[in-house]
Amino acid sequence: MLVMIAGLMALLTVGSAAMAETGGTPQWSLALHGGAGTLDRKDMTAERDAAYRAALQAALDAGSAVLAKGGSALDAVTAVVVRLEEDEKFNAGKGAVFTWERGHELDAAIMDGKNRAAGSVAGVTTVRNPVLLARRVMEASPHVMLAGRGAEQFAKEQGLELVDPAWFDTAPRREALERMTRDKLSALDVDIKFGTVGAVARDAAGNLAAATSTGGMTGKRWSRIGDAPVIGAGTYAENGACAVSATGWGEYFIRVGVARTICARMSMLGESAQAAADAVIGEVAALGGDGGVIVADAKGETAFSMNATGMYRARATSAGLREVAIYADEK
């Protein structure tokens, strides 16, 4: 079965950007993503390409600064995701897609590999930075996941910044919903990319962490929740194994248990981060799903895998590696 899955990966994955590291094991490492999907050079102007690369670099710098000062992997992934939530180019926080009811329902999760503590939130509508709320769930509550009005109440009690739901609005996201309803399109027809954002990191102490945040899919209904806030599907971290953040068609990522399965393959089968990520994305592809993952292993080696034409991504290490990429064929 494992051989068959690996074979499917070779056939079905459009490309996985390994962006292989050079040199020895890094003291700390960081990888991030801003969504995977149909990202073709012919559809990107030079200005738009440059703007996305600059945004990814800014988020990478924010997380790298934490790690370079000896900060924790948990603080680093938080810093990255907050930065991306504040950037309307991505589908998380400001710039989140619209639901069918013309609102926003935001999801996020975070996990500390040191003790496998985790927190997640789903369907929040007024929390400026959902990843900060997910972290408070992890650190200041006895629970792992909160949703809807209860999560909003907890955010208020924790003193997190709340905003009017209109703060998340952007013209491109509204136009996407209008196009969907006017032309009777599916979410996949208007969402050429899954703009979920996420980060994984290994700090100098060897601890791993992962965080993910998303606005979901355009026109989602009935309080739909994807994989991002589901621990083990879109987000997972475990010292000695790996840290994973996913982006893609959430229903498939939940069914495969993508993040936990990647870590299990690495710890139980001895696979590299790249091999495990490729195999599991192959499973997603075989079922008909699209998307990608970022992975960091216990030594800090990082991997990217996708079955799409691109994924906004970047990574850095204490050894001096700095890479930003968009298209699947960028190495």
Side-chain angles (χ1 to χ4, degrees):
M1 178 62 72
L2 295 178
V3 173
M4 182 175 68
I5 291 171
L8 285 171
M9 185 63 224
L11 291 173
L12 295 170
T13 301
V14 176
S16 64
M19 303 201 303
E21 292 195 36
T22 58
T25 300
Q27 183 182 24
W28 59 258
S29 63
L30 172 70
L32 63 90
H33 70 78
T38 306
L39 300 170
D40 294 327
R41 286 181 175 82
K42 62 182 178 59
D43 298 323
M44 293 278 280
T45 64
E47 292 77 16
R48 184 176 175 82
D49 182 291
Y52 271 101
R53 290 179 191 273
L56 294 168
Q57 185 65 61
L60 190 68
D61 290 345
S64 297
V66 172
L67 294 168
K69 295 176 182 177
S72 70
L74 196 63
D75 285 343
V77 297
T78 301
V80 169
V81 174
V82 166
R83 181 70 184 235
L84 294 171
E85 286 177 338
E86 294 285 323
D87 192 322
E88 65 182 51
K89 286 186 285 299
F90 303 98
N91 174 23
K94 179 72 170 177
V97 298
F98 282 85
T99 66
W100 187 261
E101 292 79 18
R102 290 168 170 73
H104 307 279
E105 295 175 356
L106 312 176
D107 308 329
I110 193 166
M111 190 164 184
D112 187 349
K114 180 169 56 177
N115 54 9
R116 283 190 279 183
S120 72
V121 294
V124 296
T125 61
T126 64
V127 180
R128 178 167 178 153
N129 295 111
V131 73
L132 295 182
L133 178 55
R135 183 160 177 176
R136 295 308 295 155
V137 171
M138 179 180 72
E139 296 177 333
S141 89
H143 307 301
V144 169
M145 177 180 282
L146 298 181
R149 286 181 294 178
E152 301 272 349
Q153 178 61 34
F154 182 69
K156 184 177 181 180
E157 292 175 4
Q158 290 295 307
L160 295 181
E161 183 175 358
L162 305 180
V163 294
D164 187 285
W167 185 83
F168 301 106
D169 295 359
T170 59
R173 301 300 190 190
R174 187 180 298 280
E175 190 277 332
L177 179 66
E178 291 173 350
R179 194 154 42 86
M180 178 183 183
T181 56
R182 180 186 66 242
D183 300 336
K184 298 181 180 180
L185 302 172
S186 73
L188 298 179
D189 290 324
V190 295
D191 287 335
I192 63 170
K193 69 178 181 65
F194 301 96
T196 298
V197 306
V200 296
R202 178 198 189 271
D203 61 32
N207 295 313
L208 299 171
T212 313
S213 182
T214 187
M217 300 180 78
T218 298
K220 63 181 181 178
R221 307 177 77 173
W222 312 299
S223 299
R224 176 263 187 190
I225 299 170
D227 65 301
V230 179
I231 302 302
T235 309
Y236 192 76
E238 179 181 352
N239 279 14
C242 74
V244 181
S245 177
T247 172
W249 196 341
E251 283 71 12
Y252 291 93
F253 280 64
I254 292 171
R255 288 163 60 188
V256 174
V258 165
R260 180 68 180 92
T261 301
I262 289 172
C263 288
R265 292 182 70 108
M266 293 172 64
S267 59
M268 297 174 65
L269 302 179
E271 293 183 344
S272 68
Q274 192 66 58
D278 286 347
V280 176
I281 290 299
E283 290 189 58
V284 172
L287 292 175
D290 302 300
V293 292
I294 56 174
V295 185
D297 70 12
K299 295 181 179 180
E301 300 295 328
T302 53
F304 301 84
S305 185
M306 71 203 81
N307 67 329
T309 58
M311 178 166 69
Y312 296 115
R313 60 200 188 277
R315 68 179 179 176
T317 71
S318 56
L321 179 71
R322 296 290 186 277
E323 295 180 339
V324 175
I326 297 177
Y327 312 106
D329 60 5
E330 289 187 74
K331 302 297 183 181

